[in-house]
Amino acid sequence: ETDTVISSGSLEINVTARNVTIGGEPVNLSSGEFELLKLLMQNPKRIFSTTAIVEKVYSSESDTSEKTVRQRI
Protein backbone atom coordinates (compact mmCIF):
# COMPACT_ATOMS: atom_id res chain seq x y z
CA GLU A 1 0.00 0.00 0.00
CA THR A 2 1.31 3.41 -0.98
CA ASP A 3 1.18 6.28 1.48
CA THR A 4 -0.96 9.21 0.43
CA VAL A 5 0.80 12.47 1.28
CA ILE A 6 -0.65 15.95 0.86
CA SER A 7 1.69 18.90 1.26
CA SER A 8 1.59 22.67 1.31
CA GLY A 9 4.89 24.41 1.87
CA SER A 10 6.56 22.73 4.83
CA LEU A 11 3.28 21.19 6.05
CA GLU A 12 2.80 17.52 5.17
CA ILE A 13 -0.07 15.23 6.04
CA ASN A 14 0.31 11.50 5.52
CA VAL A 15 -3.27 10.33 5.15
CA THR A 16 -2.38 6.63 5.24
CA ALA A 17 -0.20 6.80 8.36
CA ARG A 18 -2.40 9.55 9.87
CA ASN A 19 0.50 11.81 10.83
CA VAL A 20 1.37 15.44 10.24
CA THR A 21 4.74 17.18 10.07
CA ILE A 22 5.83 20.78 9.69
CA GLY A 23 9.38 21.15 8.44
CA GLY A 24 9.92 17.46 9.19
CA GLU A 25 8.87 17.88 12.85
CA PRO A 26 5.89 15.79 13.99
CA VAL A 27 2.72 17.59 15.03
CA ASN A 28 0.36 15.97 17.52
CA LEU A 29 -3.29 16.38 16.53
CA SER A 30 -6.48 14.89 17.89
CA SER A 31 -8.47 12.71 15.51
CA GLY A 32 -10.91 15.55 14.87
CA GLU A 33 -8.13 18.06 14.22
CA PHE A 34 -6.48 15.62 11.80
CA GLU A 35 -9.74 15.09 9.90
CA LEU A 36 -10.35 18.85 9.72
CA LEU A 37 -6.83 19.48 8.39
CA LYS A 38 -7.21 16.66 5.87
CA LEU A 39 -10.52 18.06 4.62
CA LEU A 40 -9.07 21.54 4.17
CA MET A 41 -5.85 20.32 2.53
CA GLN A 42 -7.75 18.06 0.13
CA ASN A 43 -9.90 21.02 -0.92
CA PRO A 44 -7.52 24.00 -0.95
CA LYS A 45 -9.71 26.36 -2.97
CA ARG A 46 -13.04 25.41 -1.44
CA ILE A 47 -14.85 27.34 1.28
CA PHE A 48 -16.79 25.29 3.84
CA SER A 49 -19.46 26.55 6.21
CA THR A 50 -19.12 25.43 9.81
CA THR A 51 -22.27 23.36 9.31
CA ALA A 52 -20.65 21.52 6.37
CA ILE A 53 -17.50 20.89 8.41
CA VAL A 54 -19.53 19.44 11.28
CA GLU A 55 -21.34 17.16 8.82
CA LYS A 56 -18.20 16.05 6.93
CA VAL A 57 -15.67 15.80 9.75
CA TYR A 58 -17.55 15.32 12.98
CA SER A 59 -20.70 13.45 11.94
CA SER A 60 -19.84 10.53 14.24
CA GLU A 61 -19.26 12.89 17.19
CA SER A 62 -22.79 13.97 18.00
CA ASP A 63 -21.63 16.39 20.71
CA THR A 64 -19.44 18.46 18.35
CA SER A 65 -21.00 21.85 17.68
CA GLU A 66 -20.33 24.65 15.23
CA LYS A 67 -18.80 26.58 18.14
CA THR A 68 -16.23 23.79 18.61
CA VAL A 69 -15.35 23.93 14.92
CA ARG A 70 -14.89 27.71 15.05
CA GLN A 71 -12.56 27.31 18.04
CA ARG A 72 -10.42 24.76 16.20
CA ILE A 73 -10.14 26.94 13.13
Side-chain angles (χ1 to χ4, degrees), residues 5-46:
V5 176
I6 306 166
S7 62
S8 178
S10 62
L11 174 64
E12 286 192 353
I13 178 172
N14 185 317
V15 177
T16 308
R18 296 189 60 81
N19 61 39
V20 176
T21 60
I22 297 176
E25 295 294 318
V27 177
N28 293 320
L29 299 177
S30 69
S31 178
E33 291 167 338
F34 179 88
E35 290 300 323
L36 176 58
L37 179 62
K38 181 175 81 168
L39 173 69
L40 296 174
M41 288 187 69
Q42 287 176 327
N43 300 278
K45 296 182 188 252
R46 186 164 174 198

